[in-house]
Amino acid sequence: MASNNLTVLNALDTARTQWYHVTAVIIAGMGFFTDAYDLFCITTVSKLLGRLYYYDPATHAPGKLPHPVNNWVVGVALVGTLTGQLVFGWLGDKLGRKKVYGLTLILMVICALCSGLSFGYSKKVVMGTLCFFRFWLGFGIGGDYPLSATIMSEYANKRTRGAFIAAVFAMQGVGIVFAGLVSMTVSKIFLMNYAGKAFNVDEVFSTEPEADYVWRIVLMLGALPALLTYYWRMKMPETGRYTAIIEGNAKQAALDMGKVLDIEIQAEGEKLAKFKAANEYPLLSNEFFMRHGLHLIGTMSTWFLLDIAFYSQNLTQKDIFPTMGLVSDAKSISALREMFETSRAMFVIALLGTFPGYWFTVFFIEKIGRFKIQLMGFFMMSVFMAIIGVKYDYLKTKDHKWTFAALYGLTFFFANFGPNSTTFVLPAELFPTRVRSTCHALSAASGKAGAMVSAFGVQQYTQDGNIHKIKKAMIFLAFTNMIGFCCTFLVTETKGRSLEEISGEDEQKDETQMKSTRPVSGHQDDGWD
């Protein structure tokens, strides 16, 4: 098929892996580092917020965020992320990947800082402003998903494209680790200087007054990595595929990519005109549905189902950690100590379970393929969650806490060496250039809809530590993973092929419907070109 393709696209597909590719991974990846830090650091501070603002002396129990408030504090950023994905994904196809790429970072910097400031003293004002700014923080984060994935896929060569896109996403794992590490460090520093007594010793001063600074500092530190990478993002040229295929400027595309790849590329105006004419069909057209409809259903459904499980694991950690024996009973410790222990447990689980899975995907995605990794991940997550659900009474005892922690960690490992990575990679490869960012945004937004099911639905079953409810939640999550396993068969393997071959853009208009774009079982196309 490559004979029908443009020289600039062939040059990108066959370019040797060089320092520029690594730079692109770092620049795009730092956005994902920030995204993960901002989304998951709220888990480490939400219990502290409850102690600070919702203590009621009449209850003789540590303050706790009411369920609706907790759901909004934790989940509102996800609502913003979903909205941002759709808006920025569409803008990425209309205005260009680069033009809106810096805007997402500016929004993240401003809103991370404002989340920490959360003006006012009364609980209603503080929680209200916190939710407001976290919505817009999520909005900026949302733009990073389609833009980073699309930019990386359009820069990469076809031999290492999957590994590079997965490496960008793997920075999410680093962000989650740092969310635990930074929260643990900040709370420990304050503990060393302002430690309060245990709640059962002194109810009022077990919540250290200085703790109000701690959660603000943790949230505001999320602005730092985004700020540091802004300059480098602005220096990245527009992708050659966007410049050539969407803007129709073959000369500029050849010039930009020639500089980047350090080669001379010939501009082909006439060939480009034919190429564009063969791919003018819009997203809402019968031709798109015939060519890519099942793929889009596949990427949207698998990401939706995956995120129900993935965010349930992350957002409910603080509720399950006491059961696993990783944190002390709230009444026996002070507020800052509780935050420190929650952060420490999150850090350990992320470092040993979450983090390695991402990088296993990076190293094996071009050997095993996206399809098989996704199937394996969904299946193994389902098995481990089913075991936790069925044996929860047995696992929650003190004697078996490490078995519980191991099973819980393995679900994270196979989420990331599995569908959490591949659902990010596949939408960046399966669809035509003209709608790639939008289709990735639709898939990612479906994922965030699943995350909202977790934040506003599944989390209801874990907040009170009710064993029966947690068992139900884990079995439900095992079931959603098995549905995800089945929905994976709607997508096809993409490794080793050019983006234009996968999407059918390099085929002529009069050729029969593209074989390469028809959804087939992944094992049918399992080798290199």
Side-chain angles (χ1 to χ4, degrees), residues 103-153:
L103 187 59
T104 62
L105 278 189
I106 293 170
L107 202 54
M108 285 156 63
V109 169
I110 293 169
C111 293
L113 292 172
C114 290
S115 295
L117 292 173
S118 290
F119 320 106
Y121 290 98
S122 74
K123 58 188 177 186
K124 281 188 178 178
V125 175
V126 173
M127 295 303 141
T129 53
L130 175 61
C131 288
F132 175 81
F133 287 118
R134 280 192 64 80
F135 171 84
W136 290 108
L137 175 67
F139 191 79
I141 288 170
D144 240 31
Y145 279 76
L147 294 172
S148 290
T150 301
I151 285 170
M152 201 62 245
S153 71

Side-chain angles (χ1 to χ4, degrees), residues 361-380:
T361 302
V362 173
F363 293 127
F364 291 107
I365 194 166
E366 298 297 359
K367 294 182 178 68
I368 301 173
R370 293 75 159 141
F371 184 84
K372 288 180 179 176
I373 288 176
Q374 186 159 308
L375 283 178
M376 173 193 68
F378 267 129
F379 180 78
M380 297 306 290

Side-chain angles (χ1 to χ4, degrees), residues 2 19 22 42 58 72 78 86 95 109 118 150 178 208 215 227 235 261 269 287 325 332 334 430 452 463 526:
W19 179 244
V22 178
I42 198 69
W72 277 106
L78 303 175
L86 295 173
L95 302 179
V109 169
S118 290
T150 301
F178 266 78
E208 299 89 339
W215 68 271
L227 195 60
K235 284 197 75 175
L261 302 173
E287 189 165 0
S332 67
S334 71
L430 285 167
M452 287 160 61
Q463 282 173 310
D526 201 41

Side-chain angles (χ1 to χ4, degrees), residues 12 67 102 110 115 126 139 144 153 159 199 271 311 322 344 376 406 414 444 476 502 508 529:
L12 286 164
H67 287 193
I110 293 169
S115 295
V126 173
F139 191 79
D144 240 31
S153 71
R159 288 177 296 104
F199 182 84
K271 196 170 183 180
Y311 279 86
R344 183 180 59 188
M376 173 193 68
F414 282 104
F476 166 74
I502 296 162
Q508 297 301 319
D529 275 6

Side-chain angles (χ1 to χ4, degrees), residues 193-446:
N193 294 284
Y194 307 107
K197 295 177 181 177
F199 182 84
N200 52 20
V201 175
D202 188 333
E203 290 190 7
V204 175
F205 288 102
S206 67
T207 303
E208 299 89 339
E210 294 80 9
D212 198 47
Y213 293 110
V214 174
W215 68 271
R216 296 175 187 275
I217 291 168
V218 169
L219 295 187
M220 290 170 81
L221 283 172
L224 196 58
L227 195 60
L228 293 174
T229 50
Y230 178 77
Y231 171 76
W232 298 107
R233 265 199 192 189
M234 291 299 90
K235 284 197 75 175
M236 291 176 83
E238 183 56 84
T239 72
R241 284 181 163 90
Y242 185 89
T243 306
I245 297 171
I246 301 180
E247 290 185 343
N249 192 340
K251 189 176 180 181
Q252 187 62 45
L255 197 65
D256 287 346
M257 292 303 105
K259 283 179 188 173
V260 166
L261 302 173
D262 198 23
I263 55 174
E264 194 172 322
I265 301 173
Q266 180 187 354
E268 304 166 291
E270 191 179 329
K271 196 170 183 180
L272 174 62
K274 290 180 182 176
F275 191 94
K276 278 174 64 69
N279 295 287
E280 284 293 343
Y281 58 90
L283 181 67
L284 299 174
S285 67
N286 191 51
E287 189 165 0
F288 175 86
F289 182 77
M290 292 295 292
R291 293 184 179 202
H292 308 290
L294 286 181
H295 284 157
L296 187 57
I297 294 168
T299 57
M300 288 175 72
S301 60
T302 51
W303 207 334
F304 172 77
L305 293 160
L306 174 275
D307 270 11
I308 293 176
F310 184 73
Y311 279 86
S312 291
Q313 286 175 296
N314 272 296
L315 299 177
T316 60
Q317 280 182 347
K318 66 184 187 301
D319 305 309
I320 292 177
F321 284 157
T323 303
M324 292 163 66
L326 295 178
V327 299
S328 309
D329 179 71
K331 288 188 177 182
S332 67
I333 50 177
S334 71
L336 280 176
R337 182 72 198 177
E338 183 179 37
M339 179 181 168
F340 172 76
E341 291 189 4
T342 302
S343 305
R344 183 180 59 188
M346 178 178 167
F347 171 74
V348 170
I349 291 286
L351 189 65
L352 301 180
T354 307
F355 181 76
Y358 284 102
W359 293 99
F360 264 68
T361 302
V362 173
F363 293 127
F364 291 107
I365 194 166
E366 298 297 359
K367 294 182 178 68
I368 301 173
R370 293 75 159 141
F371 184 84
K372 288 180 179 176
I373 288 176
Q374 186 159 308
L375 283 178
M376 173 193 68
F378 267 129
F379 180 78
M380 297 306 290
M381 285 172 72
S382 192
V383 168
F384 290 122
M385 285 184 158
I387 293 170
I388 291 171
V390 172
K391 290 287 187 180
Y392 193 80
D393 310 72
Y394 170 81
L395 292 167
K396 74 176 288 292
T397 59
K398 222 170 188 177
D399 294 341
H400 304 104
K401 67 178 180 182
W402 295 113
T403 307
F404 193 170
L407 287 168
Y408 196 67
L410 282 167
T411 60
F412 277 111
F413 176 79
F414 282 104
N416 298 312
F417 183 33
N420 192 41
S421 296
T422 54
T423 52
F424 180 78
V425 174
L426 283 165
E429 299 181 313
L430 285 167
F431 303 105
T433 308
R434 290 179 64 258
V435 292
R436 183 171 291 128
S437 180
T438 304
C439 289
H440 194 283
L442 289 167
S443 305
S446 295

Side-chain angles (χ1 to χ4, degrees), residues 472-498:
K472 272 187 177 177
M474 296 308 289
I475 291 167
F476 166 74
L477 296 174
F479 179 68
T480 62
N481 287 325
M482 282 314 296
I483 301 174
F485 177 90
C486 297
C487 290
T488 298
F489 287 92
L490 293 170
V491 300
T492 185
E493 184 55 75
T494 57
K495 78 180 176 81
R497 293 190 283 163
S498 75

